[in-house]
Amino acid sequence: MAAVKKVAVIGFGNIGVGVVRALYEKGVNGLELAKVVDIDLKTRRPVKIPKTMLSDDWKSWSTTRTSTSSWKLSAASKPAKSIQMTALKNGKDVVTAIKNAGLRR
């Protein structure tokens, strides 16, 4: 049996809520929601997760082994590039929902 990948979802807007719902409420074989990172921790979301899973500090998860992959789901391209490059440099798998993620050099 393959190891479970722990996922950090970066961005808890419309797309992020859907991804968190799929991972946390419904469950996806082989994936476990480890952290949800967003700059806005006060807005109520239609999906409820434990407060310990919610953070506004994307750098903390990118340098630890808590999560093995990250899913960047916000639309802001400048922060997206920085977040994704940091994750990649720290050995994380990166999945993005951003069409032009700005990763070209």
Side-chain angles (χ1 to χ4, degrees):
M1 184 158 120
V4 173
K5 284 209 175 248
K6 293 182 181 243
V7 175
V9 174
I10 314 304
F12 202 23
N14 291 330
I15 296 170
V17 164
V19 172
V20 169
R21 180 175 282 132
L23 291 171
Y24 187 71
E25 291 182 349
K26 297 179 180 181
V28 176
N29 285 335
L31 299 175
E32 176 187 328
L33 182 65
K35 187 67 76 177
V36 178
V37 181
D38 196 85
I39 59 171
D40 175 9
L41 302 181
K42 295 185 181 190
T43 298
R44 291 182 148 209
R45 306 305 200 294
V47 60
K48 302 293 181 211
I49 60 171
K51 288 186 180 191
T52 57
M53 293 179 96
L54 191 58
S55 173
D56 61 357
D57 181 13
W58 63 267
K59 288 182 180 181
S60 66
W61 67 264
S62 69
T63 58
T64 67
R65 295 181 185 246
T66 304
S67 302
T68 53
S69 65
S70 66
W71 297 10
K72 178 68 183 82
L73 302 167
S74 83
S77 63
K78 189 172 182 180
K81 181 178 180 180
S82 178
I83 292 167
Q84 291 176 51
M85 294 306 291
T86 300
L88 289 168
K89 285 177 185 174
N90 284 291
K92 310 285 186 199
D93 298 322
V94 174
V95 177
T96 183
I98 303 168
K99 224 189 309 185
N100 182 5
L103 293 178
R104 291 188 203 143
R105 290 183 185 214

Coordinates of all heavy atoms in Angstrom, one line a residue:
M1 N 0.8 -1.2 0.0 CA 0.0 0.0 0.0 C 0.9 1.2 0.0 O 1.8 1.4 0.7 CB -0.9 0.0 1.2 CG -1.9 1.1 1.3 SD -3.2 0.7 2.4 CE -3.1 2.0 3.6
A2 N 0.5 2.2 -0.9 CA 1.3 3.4 -1.0 C 1.1 4.3 0.3 O 0.1 4.3 0.9 CB 0.9 4.2 -2.2
A3 N 2.2 5.1 0.6 CA 2.1 6.0 1.7 C 1.1 7.1 1.4 O 0.9 7.5 0.2 CB 3.5 6.6 1.9
V4 N 0.5 7.6 2.4 CA -0.5 8.7 2.3 C 0.3 10.0 2.2 O 1.2 10.3 2.9 CB -1.4 8.8 3.6 CG1 -2.3 10.0 3.5 CG2 -2.2 7.5 3.6
K5 N -0.1 10.8 1.2 CA 0.5 12.2 1.0 C -0.2 13.2 1.8 O -1.4 13.2 1.8 CB 0.5 12.6 -0.5 CG 1.5 11.9 -1.3 CD 1.9 12.8 -2.5 CE 3.0 12.2 -3.2 NZ 4.2 12.9 -3.1
K6 N 0.5 13.9 2.7 CA -0.1 15.0 3.4 C -0.1 16.2 2.6 O 0.9 16.6 2.1 CB 0.6 15.2 4.8 CG 0.5 14.0 5.7 CD 1.2 14.2 7.0 CE 1.0 13.0 7.8 NZ 0.3 13.2 9.0
V7 N -1.3 16.9 2.5 CA -1.4 18.0 1.6 C -1.7 19.3 2.4 O -2.4 19.3 3.3 CB -2.6 17.8 0.7 CG1 -2.9 19.0 -0.2 CG2 -2.4 16.5 -0.2
A8 N -1.0 20.4 2.0 CA -1.2 21.7 2.4 C -1.9 22.5 1.3 O -1.4 22.6 0.2 CB 0.0 22.4 2.8
V9 N -3.1 23.0 1.6 CA -3.8 23.7 0.6 C -3.5 25.2 0.8 O -3.8 25.7 1.9 CB -5.4 23.5 0.6 CG1 -6.1 24.4 -0.3 CG2 -5.6 22.0 0.3
I10 N -3.0 25.9 -0.2 CA -2.6 27.3 0.0 C -3.7 28.1 -0.8 O -3.7 28.1 -2.0 CB -1.2 27.6 -0.6 CG1 -0.2 26.5 -0.1 CG2 -0.8 29.0 -0.2 CD1 -0.1 26.3 1.3
G11 N -4.5 28.8 0.0 CA -5.6 29.6 -0.6 C -6.9 29.0 -0.2 O -7.1 27.8 -0.5
F12 N -7.7 29.7 0.5 CA -9.0 29.1 1.0 C -10.2 30.0 0.5 O -11.1 30.3 1.2 CB -8.9 29.1 2.5 CG -9.8 28.2 3.2 CD1 -10.3 27.0 2.6 CD2 -10.2 28.4 4.5 CE1 -11.1 26.1 3.2 CE2 -11.0 27.5 5.2 CZ -11.5 26.4 4.5
G13 N -10.1 30.3 -0.8 CA -11.2 31.0 -1.5 C -12.1 30.0 -2.1 O -12.3 28.9 -1.6
N14 N -12.7 30.4 -3.2 CA -13.7 29.5 -3.9 C -13.2 28.1 -4.2 O -13.8 27.1 -3.9 CB -14.3 30.2 -5.1 CG -15.2 31.4 -4.7 OD1 -15.8 31.4 -3.7 ND2 -15.2 32.3 -5.6
I15 N -12.0 28.1 -4.9 CA -11.4 26.9 -5.3 C -10.9 26.1 -4.1 O -11.1 24.9 -3.9 CB -10.3 27.1 -6.3 CG1 -10.9 27.7 -7.6 CG2 -9.6 25.8 -6.7 CD1 -9.9 28.2 -8.6
G16 N -10.2 26.8 -3.2 CA -9.7 26.2 -2.0 C -10.7 25.5 -1.2 O -10.5 24.4 -0.6
V17 N -11.9 26.2 -1.0 CA -13.0 25.6 -0.2 C -13.4 24.3 -0.8 O -13.6 23.3 -0.1 CB -14.2 26.6 -0.1 CG1 -15.4 25.9 0.3 CG2 -13.8 27.7 0.8
G18 N -13.5 24.2 -2.2 CA -13.9 23.0 -2.8 C -12.9 21.9 -2.6 O -13.2 20.7 -2.4
V19 N -11.6 22.2 -2.7 CA -10.5 21.2 -2.5 C -10.5 20.7 -1.1 O -10.4 19.5 -0.8 CB -9.2 21.8 -2.9 CG1 -8.0 20.8 -2.6 CG2 -9.2 22.1 -4.4
V20 N -10.6 21.7 -0.1 CA -10.6 21.3 1.3 C -11.8 20.4 1.6 O -11.7 19.4 2.3 CB -10.6 22.6 2.2 CG1 -10.9 22.2 3.7 CG2 -9.3 23.3 2.1
R21 N -13.0 20.7 1.0 CA -14.2 19.9 1.3 C -13.9 18.5 0.7 O -14.3 17.5 1.4 CB -15.4 20.5 0.6 CG -16.7 19.7 0.7 CD -17.9 20.3 0.1 NE -18.3 21.4 1.1 CZ -18.6 22.6 0.7 NH1 -18.5 23.0 -0.6 NH2 -19.0 23.5 1.6
A22 N -13.4 18.4 -0.4 CA -13.1 17.0 -1.0 C -12.1 16.3 -0.2 O -12.3 15.1 0.1 CB -12.6 17.2 -2.4
L23 N -11.0 16.9 0.3 CA -10.0 16.2 1.1 C -10.5 15.9 2.5 O -10.2 14.8 3.0 CB -8.7 17.1 1.1 CG -8.0 17.2 -0.2 CD1 -6.8 18.2 0.0 CD2 -7.4 15.9 -0.6
Y24 N -11.1 16.9 3.2 CA -11.4 16.8 4.6 C -12.7 16.1 4.9 O -12.8 15.2 5.7 CB -11.3 18.2 5.3 CG -11.4 18.1 6.8 CD1 -10.4 17.6 7.5 CD2 -12.6 18.5 7.4 CE1 -10.5 17.5 8.9 CE2 -12.7 18.4 8.8 CZ -11.7 17.9 9.5 OH -11.8 17.8 10.9
E25 N -13.8 16.6 4.2 CA -15.1 16.1 4.5 C -15.4 14.7 3.7 O -15.9 13.8 4.3 CB -16.2 17.1 4.1 CG -16.2 18.3 5.0 CD -17.3 19.3 4.7 OE1 -17.9 19.2 3.6 OE2 -17.5 20.2 5.5
K26 N -15.0 14.7 2.5 CA -15.3 13.5 1.7 C -14.2 12.5 1.7 O -14.5 11.3 1.7 CB -15.7 13.9 0.2 CG -16.9 14.8 0.2 CD -17.2 15.2 -1.2 CE -18.4 16.1 -1.2 NZ -18.8 16.5 -2.6
G27 N -13.0 12.9 1.7 CA -11.9 12.0 1.7 C -11.4 11.6 0.3 O -12.3 11.4 -0.5
V28 N -10.2 11.6 0.1 CA -9.6 11.2 -1.2 C -8.5 10.1 -0.9 O -7.6 10.4 -0.1 CB -9.0 12.3 -1.9 CG1 -8.3 11.9 -3.2 CG2 -10.0 13.4 -2.2
N29 N -8.6 8.9 -1.4 CA -7.7 7.9 -1.2 C -6.3 8.3 -1.4 O -6.0 8.9 -2.5 CB -8.0 6.6 -2.0 CG -9.2 5.9 -1.5 OD1 -9.5 5.9 -0.3 ND2 -9.8 5.1 -2.4
G30 N -5.4 8.1 -0.5 CA -4.0 8.4 -0.6 C -3.6 9.8 -0.3 O -2.4 10.2 -0.3
L31 N -4.6 10.7 0.1 CA -4.3 12.1 0.4 C -4.9 12.4 1.7 O -6.0 12.0 2.1 CB -4.9 13.0 -0.7 CG -4.4 12.9 -2.1 CD1 -5.1 13.8 -3.0 CD2 -2.9 13.1 -2.1
E32 N -4.2 13.2 2.5 CA -4.7 13.6 3.8 C -4.5 15.1 4.0 O -3.3 15.6 3.7 CB -3.9 12.9 4.9 CG -4.3 13.4 6.3 CD -3.4 12.7 7.4 OE1 -3.0 11.6 7.2 OE2 -3.1 13.4 8.4
L33 N -5.5 15.9 4.3 CA -5.3 17.3 4.5 C -4.6 17.6 5.8 O -5.0 17.1 6.9 CB -6.7 18.0 4.6 CG -6.7 19.5 4.7 CD1 -6.1 20.2 3.5 CD2 -8.1 20.0 5.0
A34 N -3.4 18.2 5.7 CA -2.6 18.5 6.8 C -2.7 20.0 7.3 O -2.6 20.3 8.5 CB -1.1 18.2 6.5
K35 N -2.9 20.9 6.3 CA -2.8 22.3 6.7 C -3.6 23.1 5.6 O -3.6 22.7 4.4 CB -1.4 22.8 6.7 CG -1.2 24.2 7.2 CD -1.6 24.4 8.7 CE -0.6 23.9 9.7 NZ -0.9 24.2 11.0
V36 N -4.2 24.2 6.0 CA -4.9 25.1 5.1 C -4.3 26.5 5.4 O -4.3 26.9 6.5 CB -6.4 25.1 5.2 CG1 -7.0 26.2 4.3 CG2 -7.0 23.8 4.9
V37 N -3.7 27.1 4.4 CA -3.0 28.4 4.6 C -3.7 29.5 3.8 O -4.0 29.3 2.6 CB -1.5 28.3 4.2 CG1 -0.8 29.6 4.4 CG2 -0.8 27.2 4.9
D38 N -4.0 30.6 4.4 CA -4.7 31.7 3.7 C -4.4 33.0 4.5 O -4.2 32.9 5.7 CB -6.2 31.5 3.7 CG -6.9 32.4 2.7 OD1 -6.9 32.0 1.5 OD2 -7.4 33.5 3.1
I39 N -4.3 34.1 3.8 CA -4.1 35.4 4.5 C -5.3 35.9 5.3 O -5.1 36.6 6.2 CB -3.6 36.5 3.5 CG1 -4.7 36.7 2.4 CG2 -2.3 36.1 2.9 CD1 -4.4 37.9 1.5
D40 N -6.4 35.4 5.0 CA -7.7 35.8 5.7 C -8.2 34.7 6.5 O -8.8 33.7 6.0 CB -8.7 36.2 4.6 CG -10.1 36.6 5.3 OD1 -10.1 36.7 6.5 OD2 -11.0 36.7 4.5
L41 N -7.9 34.7 7.8 CA -8.4 33.7 8.7 C -9.7 34.0 9.4 O -10.2 33.2 10.1 CB -7.3 33.5 9.8 CG -5.9 33.1 9.4 CD1 -5.0 32.9 10.5 CD2 -6.0 31.9 8.5
K42 N -10.3 35.2 9.1 CA -11.5 35.6 9.8 C -12.8 35.3 9.0 O -13.8 35.2 9.6 CB -11.4 37.1 10.1 CG -10.3 37.4 11.1 CD -10.3 38.8 11.6 CE -9.1 38.9 12.6 NZ -9.0 40.1 13.3
T43 N -12.7 35.3 7.7 CA -13.9 35.0 6.9 C -14.4 33.6 7.1 O -13.7 32.7 7.2 CB -13.5 35.2 5.4 OG1 -13.1 36.5 5.2 CG2 -14.7 34.9 4.5
R44 N -15.7 33.6 7.3 CA -16.4 32.3 7.5 C -16.4 31.5 6.2 O -16.7 32.1 5.2 CB -17.8 32.4 8.0 CG -17.8 33.0 9.4 CD -19.3 33.1 9.9 NE -19.3 32.9 11.3 CZ -20.3 32.4 12.0 NH1 -21.4 32.0 11.4 NH2 -20.2 32.2 13.3
R45 N -16.1 30.2 6.3 CA -16.1 29.4 5.1 C -17.2 28.3 5.2 O -17.6 27.9 6.4 CB -14.8 28.7 4.9 CG -13.5 29.5 4.9 CD -13.5 30.6 3.9 NE -12.2 31.2 3.5 CZ -11.4 31.9 4.2 NH1 -11.6 32.1 5.5 NH2 -10.3 32.4 3.7
P46 N -17.7 27.8 4.1 CA -18.8 26.8 4.2 C -18.3 25.4 4.6 O -19.1 24.5 4.8 CB -19.4 26.8 2.8 CG -18.3 27.3 1.9 CD -17.5 28.3 2.8
V47 N -17.0 25.3 4.8 CA -16.5 24.0 5.2 C -15.7 24.3 6.6 O -15.0 25.3 6.7 CB -15.5 23.4 4.2 CG1 -14.4 24.3 3.8 CG2 -15.0 22.0 4.6
K48 N -16.0 23.4 7.5 CA -15.4 23.6 8.9 C -14.2 22.7 9.0 O -14.3 21.5 8.8 CB -16.4 23.4 10.0 CG -17.6 24.2 9.9 CD -17.3 25.7 10.2 CE -18.5 26.5 10.1 NZ -18.3 27.9 9.6
I49 N -13.1 23.2 9.4 CA -11.9 22.4 9.7 C -11.4 22.8 11.1 O -11.7 23.9 11.6 CB -10.8 22.6 8.7 CG1 -10.3 24.0 8.6 CG2 -11.2 22.1 7.3 CD1 -9.1 24.3 7.8
P50 N -10.6 22.0 11.8 CA -10.1 22.4 13.1 C -9.2 23.6 13.0 O -8.5 23.7 12.0 CB -9.3 21.1 13.5 CG -9.8 20.0 12.7 CD -10.3 20.6 11.4
K51 N -9.3 24.5 13.9 CA -8.4 25.7 13.9 C -7.0 25.4 13.8 O -6.2 26.2 13.3 CB -8.7 26.6 15.1 CG -10.1 27.3 15.0 CD -10.3 28.2 16.1 CE -11.7 28.8 16.0 NZ -11.9 30.0 16.8
T52 N -6.6 24.2 14.4 CA -5.1 23.9 14.3 C -4.7 23.6 12.9 O -3.5 23.6 12.7 CB -4.9 22.6 15.2 OG1 -5.7 21.6 14.7 CG2 -5.2 22.9 16.7
M53 N -5.6 23.3 12.0 CA -5.2 23.1 10.6 C -5.1 24.4 9.8 O -4.6 24.3 8.7 CB -6.2 22.2 9.9 CG -6.2 20.8 10.5 SD -7.5 19.8 9.6 CE -6.5 19.0 8.4
L54 N -5.5 25.5 10.3 CA -5.6 26.7 9.6 C -4.5 27.7 10.0 O -4.2 27.8 11.2 CB -6.9 27.4 9.9 CG -7.3 28.6 9.0 CD1 -7.4 28.3 7.6 CD2 -8.7 29.1 9.5
S55 N -3.8 28.3 9.0 CA -2.7 29.1 9.3 C -2.6 30.2 8.3 O -3.1 30.1 7.2 CB -1.4 28.3 9.3 OG -0.2 29.2 9.4
D56 N -1.9 31.3 8.6 CA -1.6 32.4 7.6 C -0.1 32.4 7.3 O 0.3 33.3 6.6 CB -2.1 33.7 8.1 CG -1.4 34.2 9.4 OD1 -0.6 33.4 10.0 OD2 -1.7 35.3 9.8
D57 N 0.6 31.4 7.8 CA 2.1 31.4 7.6 C 2.5 30.3 6.6 O 2.7 29.2 7.0 CB 2.7 31.2 8.9 CG 4.2 31.2 8.9 OD1 4.8 31.6 7.8 OD2 4.9 30.8 9.9
W58 N 2.6 30.6 5.3 CA 2.9 29.6 4.4 C 4.3 29.1 4.5 O 4.7 28.0 4.1 CB 2.6 30.1 2.9 CG 3.4 31.2 2.5 CD1 3.0 32.6 2.6 CD2 4.7 31.2 1.9 NE1 4.0 33.4 2.1 CE2 5.1 32.6 1.6 CE3 5.6 30.2 1.5 CZ2 6.3 32.9 1.0 CZ3 6.8 30.6 0.9 CH2 7.1 31.9 0.7
K59 N 5.2 30.0 5.0 CA 6.6 29.6 5.1 C 6.8 28.5 6.1 O 7.7 27.6 6.0 CB 7.5 30.8 5.5 CG 7.6 31.7 4.3 CD 8.5 32.9 4.7 CE 8.6 33.9 3.5 NZ 9.5 35.0 3.8
S60 N 6.0 28.4 7.2 CA 6.2 27.4 8.2 C 6.0 26.0 7.7 O 6.8 25.1 8.0 CB 5.3 27.7 9.4 OG 4.0 27.5 9.0
W61 N 5.0 25.8 6.9 CA 4.8 24.4 6.4 C 5.8 24.1 5.3 O 6.1 22.9 5.1 CB 3.4 24.2 5.9 CG 3.1 25.0 4.6 CD1 2.5 26.2 4.6 CD2 3.5 24.7 3.3 NE1 2.5 26.7 3.3 CE2 3.1 25.8 2.5 CE3 4.1 23.7 2.7 CZ2 3.3 25.9 1.1 CZ3 4.4 23.7 1.3 CH2 4.0 24.8 0.6
S62 N 6.3 25.1 4.6 CA 7.2 24.8 3.4 C 8.6 24.3 3.9 O 9.3 23.7 3.1 CB 7.3 26.0 2.5 OG 8.0 27.0 3.1
T63 N 8.9 24.5 5.1 CA 10.2 24.1 5.6 C 10.2 22.9 6.6 O 11.2 22.5 7.1 CB 10.9 25.3 6.3 OG1 10.1 25.7 7.4 CG2 11.2 26.4 5.3
T64 N 9.0 22.4 6.8 CA 8.9 21.2 7.7 C 8.4 20.0 6.9 O 8.1 20.1 5.7 CB 7.8 21.5 8.8 OG1 6.5 21.5 8.2 CG2 8.1 22.7 9.5
R65 N 8.4 18.9 7.5 CA 8.0 17.6 6.9 C 6.5 17.3 7.1 O 6.0 16.3 6.8 CB 8.8 16.5 7.3 CG 10.3 16.6 6.9 CD 11.1 15.4 7.4 NE 12.5 15.7 7.1 CZ 13.1 14.9 6.2 NH1 12.5 13.9 5.6 NH2 14.4 15.2 5.9
T66 N 5.8 18.3 7.7 CA 4.4 18.1 8.0 C 3.6 17.7 6.7 O 2.8 16.8 6.7 CB 3.7 19.3 8.6 OG1 4.5 19.6 9.8 CG2 2.3 19.1 8.9
S67 N 3.9 18.4 5.6 CA 3.2 18.2 4.4 C 4.1 17.8 3.3 O 5.3 18.2 3.2 CB 2.5 19.5 3.9 OG 1.6 20.0 4.9
T68 N 3.7 16.8 2.5 CA 4.6 16.3 1.4 C 4.2 17.0 0.1 O 5.0 16.9 -0.9 CB 4.4 14.8 1.3 OG1 3.1 14.4 1.1 CG2 5.0 14.1 2.5
S69 N 3.1 17.6 0.0 CA 2.8 18.3 -1.2 C 2.0 19.6 -0.9 O 1.4 19.7 0.2 CB 2.0 17.4 -2.2 OG 0.7 17.1 -1.6
S70 N 2.0 20.5 -1.8 CA 1.2 21.7 -1.6 C 0.4 22.0 -2.8 O 0.8 21.7 -4.0 CB 2.1 22.9 -1.3 OG 2.9 23.2 -2.4
W71 N -0.8 22.5 -2.6 CA -1.7 22.9 -3.7 C -2.0 24.4 -3.6 O -2.6 24.8 -2.7 CB -3.0 22.1 -3.6 CG -2.8 20.6 -3.8 CD1 -1.6 19.9 -3.8 CD2 -3.8 19.6 -3.9 NE1 -1.9 18.6 -3.9 CE2 -3.2 18.4 -4.0 CE3 -5.2 19.7 -4.0 CZ2 -3.9 17.2 -4.2 CZ3 -5.9 18.5 -4.2 CH2 -5.3 17.3 -4.3
K72 N -1.4 25.1 -4.5 CA -1.5 26.6 -4.5 C -2.8 27.0 -5.3 O -2.8 26.8 -6.5 CB -0.3 27.2 -5.1 CG -0.3 28.7 -5.2 CD -0.3 29.3 -3.8 CE -0.4 30.8 -3.8 NZ -1.7 31.3 -4.0
L73 N -3.7 27.6 -4.6 CA -5.0 27.9 -5.2 C -5.4 29.3 -5.3 O -6.5 29.6 -5.6 CB -6.1 27.0 -4.5 CG -5.8 25.5 -4.5 CD1 -6.7 24.8 -3.5 CD2 -5.9 25.0 -5.9
S74 N -4.5 30.2 -4.9 CA -4.9 31.6 -5.0 C -4.5 32.2 -6.4 O -3.7 31.7 -7.1 CB -4.3 32.5 -3.9 OG -3.0 32.8 -4.2
A75 N -5.1 33.3 -6.7 CA -4.9 33.9 -8.0 C -3.8 34.9 -8.1 O -3.4 35.4 -9.2 CB -6.2 34.5 -8.5
A76 N -3.3 35.3 -7.0 CA -2.2 36.4 -7.0 C -0.9 35.8 -7.5 O -0.3 34.9 -6.9 CB -2.0 36.9 -5.6
S77 N -0.4 36.3 -8.6 CA 0.7 35.6 -9.3 C 2.1 35.9 -8.6 O 2.9 35.0 -8.6 CB 0.8 36.0 -10.8 OG 1.0 37.4 -10.9
K78 N 2.3 37.1 -8.1 CA 3.6 37.3 -7.5 C 3.8 36.5 -6.2 O 4.8 35.8 -6.1 CB 3.8 38.8 -7.1 CG 5.1 39.2 -6.7 CD 5.4 40.7 -6.6 CE 6.8 41.0 -6.1 NZ 7.0 42.4 -6.0
P79 N 2.8 36.5 -5.3 CA 3.0 35.6 -4.1 C 3.0 34.1 -4.6 O 3.7 33.3 -4.0 CB 1.8 35.8 -3.2 CG 1.3 37.1 -3.7 CD 1.7 37.3 -5.1
A80 N 2.2 33.7 -5.6 CA 2.2 32.4 -6.1 C 3.5 31.9 -6.5 O 3.9 30.8 -6.1 CB 1.2 32.2 -7.2
K81 N 4.3 32.7 -7.2 CA 5.6 32.2 -7.7 C 6.5 32.0 -6.5 O 7.2 31.0 -6.4 CB 6.2 33.3 -8.6 CG 7.6 32.8 -9.1 CD 8.1 33.8 -10.1 CE 9.5 33.4 -10.6 NZ 10.1 34.3 -11.5
S82 N 6.5 32.9 -5.5 CA 7.4 32.8 -4.4 C 7.0 31.5 -3.5 O 7.9 30.8 -3.1 CB 7.3 34.0 -3.5 OG 8.0 33.9 -2.3
I83 N 5.7 31.4 -3.3 CA 5.3 30.2 -2.5 C 5.6 28.9 -3.2 O 6.2 28.0 -2.6 CB 3.8 30.3 -2.3 CG1 3.5 31.5 -1.3 CG2 3.2 29.0 -1.7 CD1 2.0 31.8 -1.3
Q84 N 5.4 28.8 -4.5 CA 5.6 27.6 -5.3 C 7.1 27.3 -5.3 O 7.5 26.1 -5.2 CB 5.0 27.7 -6.6 CG 3.5 27.6 -6.5 CD 2.8 27.8 -7.9 OE1 3.2 27.1 -8.8 NE2 1.9 28.7 -8.0
M85 N 7.9 28.3 -5.6 CA 9.4 28.1 -5.7 C 10.0 27.6 -4.4 O 10.8 26.8 -4.3 CB 10.1 29.4 -6.2 CG 9.8 29.7 -7.6 SD 10.0 28.4 -8.8 CE 11.8 28.3 -8.8
T86 N 9.5 28.2 -3.3 CA 9.9 27.8 -1.9 C 9.5 26.3 -1.7 O 10.4 25.6 -1.2 CB 9.3 28.7 -0.8 OG1 9.8 30.1 -1.1 CG2 9.8 28.3 0.6
A87 N 8.3 26.0 -2.0 CA 7.9 24.6 -1.8 C 8.7 23.6 -2.7 O 9.2 22.6 -2.1 CB 6.4 24.5 -2.2
L88 N 9.0 24.0 -3.9 CA 9.8 23.1 -4.8 C 11.2 23.0 -4.2 O 11.8 21.9 -4.2 CB 9.8 23.6 -6.2 CG 8.5 23.5 -6.9 CD1 8.5 24.3 -8.2 CD2 8.1 22.0 -7.2
K89 N 11.8 24.1 -3.8 CA 13.1 24.0 -3.2 C 13.2 23.1 -2.0 O 14.3 22.6 -1.7 CB 13.6 25.4 -2.9 CG 14.0 26.2 -4.1 CD 14.4 27.6 -3.7 CE 14.7 28.4 -5.0 NZ 15.0 29.8 -4.7
N90 N 12.1 23.0 -1.3 CA 12.1 22.2 -0.1 C 11.5 20.8 -0.3 O 11.1 20.1 0.6 CB 11.2 22.9 1.0 CG 12.0 24.0 1.6 OD1 13.0 23.8 2.3 ND2 11.6 25.3 1.3
G91 N 11.5 20.4 -1.6 CA 11.2 19.0 -1.9 C 9.7 18.7 -1.9 O 9.3 17.5 -1.9
K92 N 8.8 19.7 -2.0 CA 7.4 19.5 -2.0 C 6.9 19.3 -3.4 O 7.5 19.8 -4.4 CB 6.6 20.7 -1.4 CG 7.1 21.2 -0.1 CD 6.7 20.3 1.0 CE 7.1 20.9 2.3 NZ 7.1 20.0 3.4
D93 N 5.9 18.4 -3.6 CA 5.2 18.4 -4.9 C 4.3 19.6 -4.9 O 3.7 19.9 -3.9 CB 4.4 17.1 -5.0 CG 5.2 15.8 -4.9 OD1 6.3 15.8 -5.5 OD2 4.8 14.9 -4.3
V94 N 4.1 20.2 -6.1 CA 3.3 21.4 -6.2 C 2.2 21.1 -7.3 O 2.5 20.7 -8.4 CB 4.1 22.6 -6.5 CG1 3.1 23.8 -6.8 CG2 5.0 23.0 -5.4
V95 N 1.0 21.3 -6.9 CA -0.2 21.3 -7.8 C -0.8 22.7 -7.8 O -1.0 23.2 -6.7 CB -1.2 20.2 -7.4 CG1 -2.4 20.2 -8.3 CG2 -0.6 18.8 -7.3
T96 N -1.1 23.2 -8.9 CA -1.7 24.6 -8.9 C -2.9 24.6 -9.8 O -3.0 23.9 -10.8 CB -0.6 25.6 -9.4 OG1 -1.2 26.9 -9.3 CG2 -0.2 25.4 -10.8
A97 N -3.8 25.5 -9.4 CA -5.0 25.7 -10.2 C -4.9 27.1 -11.0 O -5.8 27.5 -11.5 CB -6.2 25.8 -9.3
I98 N -3.7 27.6 -11.0 CA -3.4 28.9 -11.7 C -2.9 28.6 -13.1 O -1.9 28.0 -13.3 CB -2.4 29.7 -10.9 CG1 -2.9 29.9 -9.4 CG2 -2.2 31.1 -11.5 CD1 -1.8 30.4 -8.5
K99 N -3.6 29.2 -14.1 CA -3.3 29.0 -15.4 C -1.9 29.5 -15.7 O -1.0 28.8 -16.3 CB -4.3 29.7 -16.4 CG -4.7 28.8 -17.5 CD -5.5 29.5 -18.6 CE -6.7 30.3 -18.1 NZ -7.5 30.8 -19.2
N100 N -1.6 30.7 -15.4 CA -0.3 31.3 -15.6 C 0.3 31.5 -14.2 O 0.2 32.6 -13.7 CB -0.4 32.6 -16.4 CG 1.0 33.2 -16.6 OD1 2.0 32.7 -16.3 ND2 1.0 34.4 -17.2
A101 N 1.0 30.5 -13.7 CA 1.5 30.6 -12.3 C 2.7 31.4 -12.2 O 3.3 31.6 -11.1 CB 1.8 29.2 -11.8
G102 N 3.3 31.9 -13.3 CA 4.4 32.8 -13.2 C 5.7 32.1 -12.9 O 6.6 32.7 -12.3
L103 N 5.8 30.8 -13.2 CA 7.0 30.1 -12.9 C 8.1 30.1 -13.9 O 9.2 29.6 -13.8 CB 6.6 28.6 -12.6 CG 5.8 28.4 -11.3 CD1 5.4 26.9 -11.2 CD2 6.5 28.9 -10.1
R104 N 7.8 30.7 -15.1 CA 8.8 30.9 -16.1 C 9.9 31.9 -15.6 O 9.6 32.8 -15.0 CB 8.2 31.4 -17.4 CG 7.3 30.4 -18.0 CD 6.9 30.9 -19.4 NE 5.6 30.2 -19.7 CZ 4.6 30.8 -20.3 NH1 4.7 32.1 -20.7 NH2 3.6 30.1 -20.6
R105 N 11.1 31.6 -16.1 CA 12.2 32.5 -15.7 C 12.4 33.5 -16.8 O 12.3 33.3 -17.9 CB 13.4 31.7 -15.4 CG 13.3 30.9 -14.2 CD 14.6 30.2 -13.9 NE 14.3 29.4 -12.7 CZ 15.2 29.2 -11.8 NH1 16.4 29.7 -11.9 NH2 14.9 28.4 -10.8

